[in-house]
Amino acid sequence: MKRLYLYIGLLFLSPLSYAQDVLSLFSTEGENAQKSSLELFNRYTDPLVESYKWAIGMGWNHTARPHRPIGFDLSFGSAIVFIPSSKFHYTVDDIENVRIIKGNEKIPTFFGTNTTESVIGVKNDDGTEAIMPATKGVDIPIAALPYLKFGLGIYKNTEIMGRVFPKVEYNGIILQMWGAGLKHNLIQWFFKEKSPFDLSIFGGYTQTEGNYPLEQSSVSPVNDPGNLTFLTRGGDFELIMSKTLPLLTIYVNSGFIYSKNTTKLNGDYRLVQDETKTLNLPEDRIVEESELRSWKFGGGVMLKFGLVFLNGDYTFSNYHQINVGMGLTLK
């Protein structure tokens, strides 16, 4: 089973295994210049951060009907977020004291092209200018969050749910995730006999942790480039309605997602040429903190063949999102 986790992890992590020189963005001096550096960093990583803030709220449900007591399902799936083309690059025109010295004015984000010759200039607080190469992307259009999920029926049309993706490492990239949820059928309180459809309420919590190795700064080399680590966590609250037919279940959902991401740099950022100086980072090394609060709407289908099922759904939001899964179920 551990080897299976590793193969699945390699499938999703190998496209991200290109280290990026983001440390050079912090080769500036002064408090105001640090704000400019943080803004450049945030614009570069924004699509990655946003994709995971959305992904942790996906993939919980493929039907509104909870399991009967002791009924269960076990499945493997993945939330897949498609990155809009507008998120493949960013500009610096509206960042104070930042300019493009040469090259294309559209700078790649994390998901953008991995080839760029642009050079960025940031004005230091003493009036000098820090010059750095533009960041490059990994040149892929999607972000994925795989998971293993289970559900267990308990009492009064209520189901407890959990999901996990065990810690997997590839070329220094680490990804792990866990979550827990509860689903309860509301329709039972309105229909004394069998209802024509199912209507349930769901609440869940998910936490994802990641680690990404950093490339040595080409402008201001440091003792240890270290890693970028992120922690994304949040809740998903849904109202799900479904109609079960022979071999087919159709479901729709509406809900609210809240998630928060914290990104931190961990390394020894004393400069090689002068260890009394460091990169222009915040003291706590936290370079990004953001929240997502948004309504979401979606729908999908589940195909069932005996104990085996396949499901797929789409979530409407600022990003195109799909979730796919397959597994075993016993009502």
Side-chain angles (χ1 to χ4, degrees):
M1 183 65 72
K2 185 175 181 180
R3 181 170 294 182
L4 174 62
Y5 295 152
L6 177 61
Y7 289 154
I8 294 171
L10 292 180
L11 175 65
F12 288 98
L13 297 181
S14 57
L16 305 180
S17 60
Y18 304 99
Q20 307 299 318
D21 181 11
V22 298
L23 293 180
S24 290
L25 297 176
F26 297 96
S27 58
T28 56
E29 296 181 8
E31 183 178 349
N32 292 326
Q34 182 185 98
K35 293 178 181 178
S36 298
S37 294
L38 288 171
E39 181 62 27
L40 288 170
F41 177 85
N42 287 333
R43 294 194 182 193
Y44 173 71
T45 59
D46 176 72
L48 178 64
V49 170
E50 287 295 305
S51 65
Y52 276 100
K53 286 192 295 188
W54 276 106
I56 64 170
M58 297 172 59
W60 277 110
N61 295 288
H62 50 261
T63 177
R65 180 178 295 179
H67 289 296
R68 299 188 183 100
I70 313 303
F72 70 92
D73 70 83
L74 178 65
S75 63
F76 167 72
S78 180
I80 302 173
V81 181
F82 292 87
I83 310 303
S85 58
S86 61
K87 296 290 186 177
F88 290 160
H89 55 78
Y90 68 94
T91 59
V92 303
D93 297 345
D94 58 338
I95 307 178
E96 188 175 359
N97 297 323
V98 177
R99 69 186 182 106
I100 300 298
I101 295 176
K102 71 173 184 178
N104 197 322
E105 293 188 356
K106 292 184 177 181
I107 307 300
T109 64
F110 181 87
F111 291 105
T113 178
N114 55 15
T115 57
T116 181
E117 301 299 328
S118 297
V119 177
I120 300 174
V122 179
K123 185 178 180 181
N124 293 317
D125 288 14
D126 62 4
T128 60
E129 186 174 49
I131 299 174
M132 62 201 68
T135 48
K136 298 179 182 180
V138 297
D139 201 19
I140 60 173
I142 63 172
L145 182 61
Y147 57 81
L148 296 171
K149 182 173 73 72
F150 70 89
L152 177 67
I154 47 175
Y155 179 69
K156 285 286 186 180
N157 285 313
T158 301
E159 179 180 335
I160 56 174
M161 306 168 72
R163 60 181 183 176
V164 63
F165 191 76
K167 182 178 179 180
V168 173
E169 182 174 356
Y170 176 74
N171 281 1
I173 302 175
I174 299 173
L175 181 67
Q176 56 186 333
M177 180 268 283
W178 68 271
L182 186 71
K183 180 166 63 178
H184 179 72
N185 196 330
L186 297 176
I187 205 69
Q188 63 182 317
W189 304 108
F190 302 97
F191 286 84
K192 293 183 179 181
E193 299 180 358
K194 186 176 181 180
S195 65
F197 59 90
D198 291 286
L199 180 68
S200 289
I201 189 171
F202 168 83
Y205 172 85
T206 302
Q207 179 170 304
T208 300
E209 298 176 64
N211 183 88
Y212 192 84
L214 295 176
E215 188 177 271
Q216 177 66 277
S217 170
S218 61
V219 177
S220 301
V222 296
N223 288 339
D224 178 14
N227 302 279
L228 177 154
T229 61
F230 69 86
L231 173 63
T232 308
R233 51 189 173 178
D236 177 36
F237 308 94
E238 298 181 12
L239 190 66
I240 316 111
M241 183 171 66
S242 67
K243 174 66 177 178
T244 301
L245 303 169
L247 303 180
L248 174 69
T249 297
I250 303 171
Y251 58 94
V252 294
N253 64 71
S254 175
F256 185 82
I257 181 172
Y258 167 78
S259 58
K260 180 178 180 179
N261 183 81
T262 302
T263 305
K264 188 174 182 178
L265 301 186
N266 296 300
D268 183 353
Y269 298 120
R270 290 175 296 171
L271 303 187
V272 171
Q273 64 268 33
D274 185 355
E275 292 197 356
T276 63
K277 296 182 178 180
T278 66
L279 290 181
N280 196 11
L281 291 163
E283 289 186 12
D284 58 9
R285 306 290 176 82
I286 294 176
V287 291
E288 187 275 339
E289 277 190 306
S290 59
E291 296 181 349
L292 171 68
R293 292 183 175 91
S294 180
W295 294 98
K296 66 172 189 173
F297 309 92
V301 296
M302 176 180 69
L303 299 174
K304 187 179 177 185
F305 309 96
L307 299 180
V308 179
F309 71 87
L310 304 171
N311 74 281
D313 56 64
Y314 173 81
T315 299
F316 175 78
S317 68
N318 295 335
Y319 289 71
H320 293 291
Q321 304 170 59
I322 63 171
N323 179 80
V324 293
M326 64 179 298
L328 301 174
T329 182
L330 179 64
K331 288 293 184 180

